[in-house]
Amino acid sequence: MNKRSQHVVPNPNGGWSVRRYGAERASGVFKTQADAIKRGTELAKREGAELYVHRADGTIREKNSYGNDPHPPKG
């Protein structure tokens, strides 16, 4: 994972957090995953980074690149 990537992860106190890869503190905590995705997308676009959206069990359900994609689609 890219060090500049943003992650939407479940918050242990409830809701969803947006957290930069390797950061101890969240950039923001939201009641719904949709709100966290919206904020994570804004941050990823601004930083030209990748956004990882996790499921409640912590596995990755979606990944979007907003910068230099290390694995661009062929074609």
Side-chain angles (χ1 to χ4, degrees):
M1 288 186 204
N2 186 331
K3 290 182 179 180
R4 294 185 342 178
S5 61
Q6 297 288 336
H7 295 257
V8 174
V9 296
N11 186 303
N13 297 322
W16 293 86
S17 298
V18 177
R19 186 179 304 252
R20 181 189 292 246
Y21 176 76
E24 292 183 22
R25 294 180 40 199
S27 303
V29 178
F30 303 88
K31 287 184 179 180
T32 66
Q33 189 182 39
D35 289 340
I37 291 170
K38 183 177 177 183
R39 179 62 179 150
T41 300
E42 291 171 359
L43 292 172
K45 284 182 176 178
R46 185 173 69 196
E47 298 174 1
E50 296 179 14
L51 175 67
Y52 292 84
V53 179
H54 296 251
R55 295 183 183 95
D57 65 3
T59 59
I60 296 171
R61 84 160 205 210
E62 184 179 334
K63 177 182 140 189
N64 293 306
S65 295
Y66 297 99
N68 185 18
D69 189 349
H71 306 288
K74 295 180 181 178

